[in-house]
Amino acid sequence: FPFPYTPYLIQERFMAALYSALEAGRVGIFESPTGTGKSLSLICGALSWLRDFEEKKQREEAQLLALEDRGQEGKKEPTSDEPGRPDSEGGAGEPDWVTAFVQKKEERDMVERLKEEQMRRKKRDDRLEKIRQNVQLKYAAKRKRSEEEETKRLLQLSKEVLSEGIGVDVLEQLDHNEEELILAEYESDEEKKVVSGLEEDGDDLEEEHVTKIYYCSRTHSQLSQFVHEVQKSPFGKDTRLVSLGSRQNLCVNEEVRRLGALQLINDRCMEMQKNKHEKKSDEEMEGKKRRVSRTVCPFYSYEQMQFLRDEVLVEVKDIEQLVALGRETKACPYYGSRYAIPAAQLVVLPYQMLLHEPTRRAAGIKLKDQIVIIDEAHNLIDTITCIHSAEVSGSQLCCAHSQLLQYMERYRKRLKAKNLMYIKQILYLLERFVAMLGGNVNQNPSCQAVSQTGTVLKSINDFLFQSQIDNINLFKVQRYCEKSLISRKLFGFVERYGGPATAVKTNKENQKLAGLQNFLLTLQQGSDKEGDPPMEADNDQLRTASPLMQIEGFLSALTNANQDGRVILNRQGTVGQSSLKFLLLNPAVHFAKVVEECRAVIIAGGTMQPVADFREQLLSCAGVDPERVVEFSCGHVIPPENILPIILCSGPSNQQLEFTYQTRDLPQMMDETGRILCNLCNVVPGGVVCFFPSYEYEKQVYAHWEKTGLLTRLATKKKVFQEPKKANQVEQVLVEYAKCIKRCSQAGGQMTGALLLSVVGGKMSEGINFSDDLGRCVIMVGMPYPNIKSPELQEKMTWLDKTMPRPAGQAPSRVLIENLCMKAVNQSIGRAIRHQKDFASILLLDHRYARPAIFNKLPQWIRERTQVKPAFGAAFAELRKVRTCILCTA
């Protein structure tokens, strides 16, 4: 395998296992601890396979074509008059020559296809080569000229490249196609004809999808990191790679970017595209009505995007470089990168785009016979569940009802019967949903108190019957919402008439609209979700102005099969605060399509233990033959003496360590934890990270230590930091923590570093590296079991017990709880060792970790080196040994 440096032995084993899994079309579960160069192994292993696969395919094609050329002379004469014959035979008892002819025709067609494909490939390669040559010229010129001239030249260059590479008539045709697609708005029956007619056309225009690898990860920063690894690898120069992202990450139109919230950016972008094709019809429609400026996006130019597509394929770029290129060439990176998908060999994209079928379709991703690699996949089951679950609040339902009602009233005369029918159906659905929460859709949701508060779970069918909407075809309503873009129309309507900025003239028609404005203002507090980026007040107004979008998600969730999900009615103080939530119980139904279509699927991560979840809940439920599944797990590259994992069963005063819900609040347990930390901080240099099961418990222990004076004792050796609950403050705390450790190590003295009190499942337990001095000891207080009282978890447990086989007598629900707990533990303790020369100790404070069922769920490379210590003295002696080793090496 080509590799930028001499690979570790485990990397070679990883790449060999990956290569054979791809070759055999398997579903692989690959585990390689962080710090062992997993990304590079994935890149070099997978791209080596792709290169060999392409070469083999080309050799086979060449052989076929050579055979064809040899036999060509003999065939030429009969072909001219044969095509008419088979029809005249009528296929009754076909003679041999007909069968032979059909076979030959199939062979000929195949050869024709191959020739066409080769032509296309050659054309593409020539085009990209031309750009490669021009790149050098371009950057030489850049130093001499001002940016304006540069942009002009680039645009000129893009036109030249296009006129050589692709005929102008093709461009016009595509614009025309898009126009037809975009204008065919409402009549669903006609629309079907238009769309199906277009698709036959579109095939000639669209490049064929070459065999490629889809690589997906959780966050944009992880994807950027991966792209940089590709750039450094031996494949960096000649791989056609495209990075996909959301409009939020890729949009270069400042006016649209400023909207901030993803939903609004999506809405505005689609609207601007429509405006491009709708200008004329709009002017006729609007007539004397108040005009609103119809802006068109200057970056949505087909020619520029074609140019951007080729630039993307020529050289590996990450999202930031793609956006910079988009600004420079005045082309939209969001759409430009999509045009590059068919010809790309490696497509890098976030989870959501790959795992959510509608998003996948919209992005033009075709999985048939392709390779999918899902990295950082330890949370894959939760991710699929989250992507396909949906929640709507009472205030969003009332708000959507009010907006839609006023939209219908205003445009009643201009809406066709079919539209009115669907709008009335949606209004009825909204009314029934609010009734299910115990409210009335025509009253302010913030002022309606809910009589029976609490949480109720229902199956989908029960929910549909009880809300009296079982007679409505939700599939049709969903398709109508999708095709008619009603939520976008409604958003535009509210933006025009409902915003506080617009002074509404109060003639008779507009008095209703003034009501909408006041209504929206009362809803602002009710439906704002936590976790959105902070924005100005007027943008909040806009964000609540598109609630129908959220509701469409909920409607589409209700079309899942009855056994695969549940509806949760969460009735709080007022109707506005109450909500309806769809919970997906069976993520396998959505993963099945990916596994069926792909040639091979690789699920990879640093800590994939316990693997049983993936095999049972995801793969066997998705109908994957157990024979097709392969598992690969490798050890760590660090020497065994660099890590010291200890399971501690009792503390310094012989108090048994068992942090159950019943015992963990006892003062003696909190005191014992404090004593252990005090002792450790005396001997462990640098940073100590201590994980608690929840924010609440961490706060409680901290307050107890403050009261007993233990905190002051800790603070003499280590400065104490707490993980903040707000995501935007995490960075600040980490910077301070790192600075403090660095200061102490340089200054010497009594203070030896810092102690960070963190929370399992919080921001610090995933994706943040405590390498070297930042984490010389990681402590896990108790076992972070999930909250078993949560109705959602209870429902999932009941569902598992009903549908899953019972291995070895343990109930599947019990296994789930243990697995959730140990996944969280493994994620947290894996933070400390990040590279080959790193070292750390890991302390698990709870005697239950020593139970075989739990112990076996630790990652293999940690499990092999773990010592169980019944008493604190022996454990402390081991830790001191590590310290003397450290001081010797230092």
Side-chain angles (χ1 to χ4, degrees), residues 160-217:
E160 283 165 25
V161 170
L162 271 159
S163 55
E164 284 160 18
I166 201 167
V168 180
D169 54 336
V170 180
L171 291 181
E172 283 168 357
Q173 204 177 344
L174 194 111
D175 256 321
H176 182 56
N177 277 352
E178 285 178 347
E179 192 165 317
E180 277 191 79
L181 264 175
I182 290 168
L183 289 179
E185 248 175 40
Y186 284 120
E187 292 296 325
S188 48
D189 304 330
E190 286 172 32
E191 194 173 57
K192 272 182 212 146
K193 290 175 208 154
V194 175
V195 173
S196 60
L198 271 177
E199 277 172 357
E200 292 156 22
D201 252 26
D203 270 3
D204 310 334
L205 297 179
E206 203 182 71
E207 275 191 77
E208 208 161 319
H209 281 245
V210 302
T211 301
K212 59 175 63 52
I213 295 163
Y214 287 99
Y215 170 88
C216 56
S217 194

Side-chain angles (χ1 to χ4, degrees), residues 483-579:
K483 298 282 186 204
S484 68
L485 302 178
I486 183 163
S487 55
R488 296 199 175 96
K489 301 246 175 252
L490 194 57
F491 173 64
F493 168 74
V494 173
E495 199 182 22
R496 199 177 306 177
Y497 296 113
T502 10
V504 181
K505 300 182 187 73
T506 49
N507 56 20
K508 269 187 185 164
E509 190 166 18
N510 279 349
Q511 274 167 356
K512 293 174 189 165
L513 297 170
L516 167 64
Q517 191 179 323
N518 298 333
F519 184 74
L520 279 173
L521 287 170
T522 60
L523 292 178
Q524 243 176 295
Q525 299 79 16
S527 71
D528 267 5
K529 284 261 168 53
E530 261 190 65
D532 278 326
M535 289 189 206
E536 302 83 327
D538 59 344
N539 274 357
D540 280 358
Q541 175 69 43
L542 284 178
R543 192 148 27 106
T544 55
S546 200
L548 194 60
M549 272 283 200
Q550 199 90 11
I551 293 157
E552 281 179 23
F554 182 69
L555 287 176
S556 94
L558 289 178
T559 59
N560 274 289
N562 183 48
Q563 68 274 16
D564 291 333
R566 296 287 179 272
V567 180
I568 301 171
L569 283 73
N570 191 4
R571 299 191 181 108
Q572 296 303 324
T574 67
V575 172
Q577 292 163 337
S578 303
S579 66

Side-chain angles (χ1 to χ4, degrees), residues 67-82:
L67 279 172
E68 160 72 5
D69 289 343
R70 268 184 233 137
Q72 197 68 45
E73 286 76 32
K75 278 186 200 168
K76 268 184 187 162
E77 295 81 26
T79 17
S80 53
D81 56 29
E82 267 181 15

